[in-house]
Amino acid sequence: MQWFIIGRDMHVLCTPSTDFPQTLPIDDSGDSLGQEISITNNSAVGTYDFTTDPRHPDSVYITEGNYIAFRDKYGKDRLYTIMSIEGDEEWTVHCEDIGLDLINEYAVPWDYTARSIEDTLSVVLHDSGWEIGINEVSSYKRATKFEGTTDSQLTRIGDVCNQFDAECEFAIEMKGAKVTKQVINIYKTLGEDKTQQRFIDNINLISLSRSGSIEDLITCIRCYGKEDENGNKLTIADINYDDGRYFSPKGEHRIYDREARNKWSRFRAYD
């Protein structure tokens, strides 16, 4: 089996393999290892767990935030984000196949008249790096209304699919060793649920030991307070703040983190 370890800029860093000697070894054959796909909120959410040797030179690329790509047993090219690493003589690596921006960015409220699912999701996907691939409900039109201000983009995608009586999965398209597309495939129905054990922990580096996680990564926060007597929420829109790292331009409801954006922004991908 062939894997690709890919950096945040979508360039291949190394190519582990079970077929070629001297390459970074990956083992996903244990009872609690391998690929798990479960349907949560109308979205097929995948996880991938494997072990590897921290003494191999290419293990430097096994780090939180990088990706591992491979073709799974269903014939789909998958892209998983490395979320956490744990171990001493052997590392156990936990990965999830959803783009970090879909988890960590909030969706906006809306009230739309009847439109297609592609047009409806365009607000969520317009600069996320994801695009619609297979679409089995392209002829459907639905009116949708969402009032929440704390829904993640991933939650909103699932809620929209529910409105269209559909389910979706996340996959990639590759040409050779290069990721060319990140696609959301929309189906009328997906397959069965499966359950496996998951390993997630906090950062802890001692000698060769390692335990790291980017589950709580934040690049910006949206700030809202209580509502006044007229139903208007208190915001920071009247404040202009910039201390070099954190900033919030006047008129904005968000506080941004420059360092986190420079390291984790999706705009680094695909040059």
Side-chain angles (χ1 to χ4, degrees):
M1 182 172 177
Q2 182 76 60
W3 294 267
F4 300 97
I5 304 300
I6 298 173
R8 287 284 294 171
D9 58 1
M10 290 298 170
H11 287 89
V12 173
L13 302 174
C14 69
T15 55
S17 173
T18 55
D19 302 320
F20 299 102
Q22 310 304 320
T23 57
L24 178 68
I26 285 181
D27 183 5
D28 59 6
S29 60
D31 292 339
S32 60
L33 303 176
Q35 182 184 35
E36 171 195 343
I37 298 179
S38 59
I39 300 175
T40 303
N41 191 31
N42 295 86
S43 300
V45 179
T47 61
Y48 182 62
D49 294 273
F50 64 90
T51 60
T52 190
D53 184 356
R55 293 160 294 192
H56 191 282
D58 285 344
S59 67
V60 296
Y61 302 123
I62 305 294
T63 187
E64 298 90 340
N66 281 350
Y67 304 99
I68 182 168
F70 61 91
R71 177 161 293 182
D72 67 9
K73 63 182 180 180
Y74 305 106
K76 298 289 183 67
D77 290 326
R78 304 288 187 181
L79 185 70
Y80 286 80
T81 304
I82 298 174
M83 300 298 290
S84 65
I85 303 164
E86 182 179 2
D88 299 310
E89 298 297 319
E90 182 180 70
W91 284 349
T92 298
V93 185
H94 173 72
C95 313
E96 299 186 4
D97 75 343
I98 305 301
L100 287 175
D101 294 306
L102 297 180
I103 299 173
N104 291 307
E105 185 173 340
Y106 288 125
V108 298
W110 73 56
D111 186 358
Y112 292 154
T113 56
R115 58 176 65 184
S116 68
I117 193 170
E118 187 168 3
D119 289 341
T120 303
L121 288 178
S122 64
V123 177
V124 178
L125 303 179
H126 73 284
D127 64 350
S128 69
W130 296 89
E131 58 184 274
I132 302 296
I134 297 170
N135 185 359
E136 292 186 351
V137 297
S138 59
S139 61
Y140 295 7
K141 289 191 175 182
R142 299 285 191 274
T144 56
K145 181 178 181 180
F146 299 100
E147 298 179 341
T149 58
T150 59
D151 294 339
S152 71
Q153 302 284 45
L154 176 59
T155 299
R156 183 62 54 82
I157 290 171
D159 290 342
V160 169
C161 285
N162 182 52
Q163 295 290 313
F164 281 80
D165 300 312
E167 296 173 335
C168 69
E169 67 170 4
F170 298 81
I172 59 170
E173 294 181 8
M174 297 189 69
K175 186 175 183 181
K178 183 178 180 181
V179 178
T180 56
K181 283 185 180 180
Q182 297 171 220
V183 297
I184 300 178
N185 295 321
I186 301 172
Y187 301 95
K188 293 179 180 179
T189 185
L190 283 169
E192 62 181 351
D193 294 339
K194 294 182 180 178
T195 302
Q196 289 180 341
Q197 189 175 358
R198 299 178 62 183
F199 297 89
I200 301 174
D201 204 350
N202 295 320
I203 295 174
N204 177 25
L205 298 176
I206 301 175
S207 185
L208 286 178
S209 295
R210 177 164 182 169
S211 179
S213 176
I214 51 173
E215 294 282 353
D216 298 321
L217 172 68
I218 296 174
T219 56
C220 78
I221 57 174
R222 182 184 294 174
C223 305
Y224 288 102
K226 295 181 178 179
E227 294 184 355
D228 60 21
E229 61 275 10
N230 297 319
N232 299 314
K233 289 186 177 180
L234 178 67
T235 73
I236 60 171
D238 294 332
I239 299 174
N240 184 19
Y241 179 80
D242 192 334
D243 64 9
R245 176 174 177 176
Y246 301 102
F247 69 99
S248 179
K250 192 171 184 178
E252 268 283 1
H253 296 172
R254 299 178 177 88
I255 299 175
Y256 299 92
D257 183 341
R258 285 192 176 94
E259 290 185 14
R261 183 187 187 280
N262 289 339
K263 184 174 182 179
W264 300 106
S265 173
R266 60 176 170 265
F267 298 111
R268 294 179 56 195
Y270 312 112
D271 299 317

